[in-house]
């Protein structure tokens, strides 16, 4: 059984439920119960509570949705969002947020100590989100480097922008700003803009500086 941080599980031999808040090794996990007590347990001794799997992890069809009219087409708004797990604030979930009218073809790879791992690859429809990674908030200094690559696609008569590449280590200072409301996730969290618009040059001021 493939278990991940943030999964809600039930113990096989005891009347205990909780959220996976730590992957200790390949056989052992840490499960935090309703009293915020983390219990080490063999992964083989828990079962996934399927009713708690979020809908945004559903399989995405590669078929394009009906194209939005060009007049209403939104070309910008791609973010990496970080929110706390609904059951345990110890677990952080990263989502790609697509506020554009494009379908995104996205992939995410992590790198740590020269070791690479593909974490996510899927299509993200317009105005939707997809969870791409989970981590323990207490181990932020140990988080790997993220590399996110995004292609834009649409059936509408709209020129897609160039591919996006985001490659960064997220540090504590990146989360020192206030949380914001993330409408598509229906909760507060931190947002990192991936399709940051290019700065607009004031040609008049530029000329004045060189006169």
């Amino acid at each position: 059984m493939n278990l991940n941080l943030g999964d809600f599980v039930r113990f096989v031999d005891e009347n205990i439920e909780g959220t996976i808040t730590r992957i200790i090794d390949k056989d052992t996990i840490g499960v935090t119960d309703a009293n915020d007590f983390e219990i080490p347990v063999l992964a083989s001794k828990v079962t996934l509570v399927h009713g708690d799997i979020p809908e945004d992890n559903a399989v995405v069809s590669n078929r394009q949705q009906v194209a939005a009219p060009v007049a209403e087409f939104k070309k910008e708004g791609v973010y990496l969002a970080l929110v706390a797990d609904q059951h345990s604030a110890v677990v952080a979930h990263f989502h790609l947020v697509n506020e554009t009218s494009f379908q995104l073809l996205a992939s995410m790879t992590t790198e740590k100590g020269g070791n690479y791992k593909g974490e996510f690859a899927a299509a993200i429809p317009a105005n939707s989100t997809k969870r791409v990674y989970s981590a323990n908030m207490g181990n932020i200094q140990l988080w790997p480097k993220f590399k996110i690559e995004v292609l834009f696609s649409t059936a509408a008569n709209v020129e897609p922008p160039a591919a996006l590449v985001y490659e960064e280590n997220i540090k504590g200072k990146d989360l020192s700003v206030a949380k914001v409301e993330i409408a598509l996730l229906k909760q507060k969290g931190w947002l990192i803009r991936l399709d940051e618009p290019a700065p607009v040059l004031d040609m008049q001021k530029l000329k004045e500086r060189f006169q």
Side-chain angles (χ1 to χ4, degrees), residues 1-206:
M1 179 168 54
N2 186 24
L3 297 173
N4 300 290
L5 282 174
D7 285 348
F8 196 69
V9 296
R10 180 178 296 123
F11 284 44
V12 173
D13 300 325
E14 300 178 69
N15 187 24
I16 299 175
E17 293 181 339
T19 304
I20 298 177
T21 51
R22 192 179 303 275
I23 305 296
I24 299 172
D25 57 38
K26 65 183 181 67
D27 299 315
T28 314
I29 58 176
V31 176
T32 298
D33 63 13
N35 298 315
D36 288 332
F37 183 73
E38 188 176 80
I39 307 166
V41 62
L42 290 173
S44 60
K45 294 295 183 180
V46 301
T47 181
L48 194 62
V49 180
H50 293 283
D52 247 66
I53 297 176
E55 291 182 1
D56 72 349
N57 276 346
V59 174
V60 180
S61 170
N62 288 327
R63 180 176 296 176
Q64 288 275 21
Q65 296 182 349
V66 177
V70 174
E72 303 171 8
F73 202 95
K74 186 175 181 182
K75 298 181 180 180
E76 297 180 343
V78 181
Y79 301 88
L80 178 65
L82 171 57
V83 297
D85 184 84
Q86 294 181 357
H87 296 289
S88 174
V90 175
V91 177
H93 296 303
F94 293 85
H95 300 255
L96 280 176
V97 178
N98 179 17
E99 294 183 353
T100 77
S101 299
F102 290 105
Q103 176 177 252
L104 305 183
L105 307 176
S107 70
M108 175 174 169
T109 302
T110 55
E111 182 272 327
K112 186 175 181 182
N115 296 312
Y116 294 84
K117 182 182 178 184
E119 303 286 353
F120 173 86
I124 306 175
N127 297 305
S128 68
T129 71
K130 278 289 168 185
R131 185 192 297 182
V132 296
Y133 189 72
S134 297
N136 190 302
M137 283 291 286
N139 294 334
I140 188 169
Q141 73 279 4
L142 301 177
W143 288 357
K145 186 176 186 179
F146 293 170
K147 183 174 183 179
I148 299 171
E149 299 175 274
V150 178
L151 294 173
F152 297 81
S153 177
T154 179
N157 183 20
V158 175
E159 181 182 5
L164 285 177
V165 178
Y166 171 85
E167 198 165 0
E168 294 289 342
N169 279 101
I170 295 177
K171 300 180 175 63
K173 64 181 179 61
D174 298 315
L175 310 182
S176 61
V177 297
K179 293 181 180 180
V180 297
E181 190 69 36
I182 305 172
L184 288 176
L185 291 174
K186 299 179 180 178
Q187 67 181 112
K188 286 189 174 182
W190 292 276
L191 278 178
I192 298 172
R193 179 83 180 264
L194 301 187
D195 62 340
E196 199 69 48
V200 178
L201 291 176
D202 187 323
M203 297 307 295
Q204 183 59 38
K205 288 184 178 180
L206 193 61

